Amino acid sequence: MKILVINGPNLNLLGLREPDIYGNSSYEALVSFVQSVCEKEGIEVSFYQSNHEGDIVDCIQKAYGIYDGIIINPAAYTHTSIAILDALKAVSLPAVEVHLSDVENREEFRRISYVSGACITTYAGLGFEGYRKAVFCLKQYLFENQKI
Ligand code: DQA
């Protein structure tokens, strides 16, 4: 089983960025966290972070035929990007949406997620733990659908 974890704009600044909302841990710490969860589960994992919408679309397109599933935190593009939604639909890989913060209980505009239309489920407001849950969700989904 091979999964790809995609993080969108400004998530490279975790730790520095609004720590009251996103915590004090860095992007590198997030990568190590997910890496260790996957290692314990025998799952191969790759990471991609970009501040550019089109680059995220390219990354999703290239995932086709290589990865079994995608974990995506599209960050601000969650609330704006039909292109990312369409890319996820196009490759039709099982995807799980993650947000570190509780997007439902922040500004009104964060309640809209375009990408959720192409995702199995969403974990929000759980910090790094949301990514761990997403790994397990994908594993379970792939097992149930006999893809692993
Ligand atoms: C975020 C929530 C988004 O609304 C925001 O634009 C982000 C991060 C989260 O992880 O909580 O950049 O996706």
Side-chain angles (χ1 to χ4, degrees):
M1 174 177 170
K2 267 175 94 169
I3 63 169
L4 174 63
V5 180
I6 301 174
N7 282 291
N10 301 306
L11 290 169
N12 54 317
L13 294 186
L14 282 180
L16 171 78
R17 166 188 194 204
E18 300 180 272
D20 295 354
I21 297 173
Y22 299 112
N24 294 301
S25 302
S26 64
Y27 174 72
E28 290 70 26
L30 172 64
V31 168
S32 308
F33 174 82
V34 179
Q35 186 90 59
S36 79
V37 169
C38 289
E39 254 165 45
K40 279 184 208 138
E41 294 301 315
I43 297 168
E44 245 184 88
V45 60
S46 305
F47 297 88
Y48 181 77
Q49 189 280 326
S50 175
N51 296 324
H52 306 280
E53 185 177 15
D55 290 346
I56 294 171
V57 169
D58 286 344
C59 176
I60 293 168
Q61 289 188 6
K62 284 181 196 146
Y64 183 75
I66 297 175
Y67 295 97
D68 300 303
I70 293 175
I71 293 172
I72 185 163
N73 181 347
Y77 290 137
T78 307
H79 321 296
T80 61
S81 182
I82 298 167
I84 292 175
L85 167 69
D86 284 349
L88 289 169
K89 284 186 168 173
V91 298
S92 187
L93 284 168
V96 177
E97 178 184 3
V98 176
H99 299 287
L100 294 159
S101 67
D102 184 5
V103 279
E104 282 298 316
N105 290 301
R106 295 181 63 192
E107 301 94 326
E108 191 69 35
F109 63 82
R110 293 188 205 273
R111 291 193 178 172
I112 293 160
S113 169
Y114 285 95
V115 301
S116 65
C119 293
I120 302 163
T121 193
T122 301
Y123 296 105
L126 302 172
F128 286 10
E129 181 63 14
Y131 289 80
R132 195 184 67 80
K133 286 188 180 288
V135 169
F136 283 98
C137 172
L138 268 185
K139 191 178 176 187
Q140 182 71 17
Y141 180 90
L142 290 167
F143 177 73
E144 280 170 7
N145 291 277
Q146 292 176 349
K147 296 198 168 145
I148 52 167

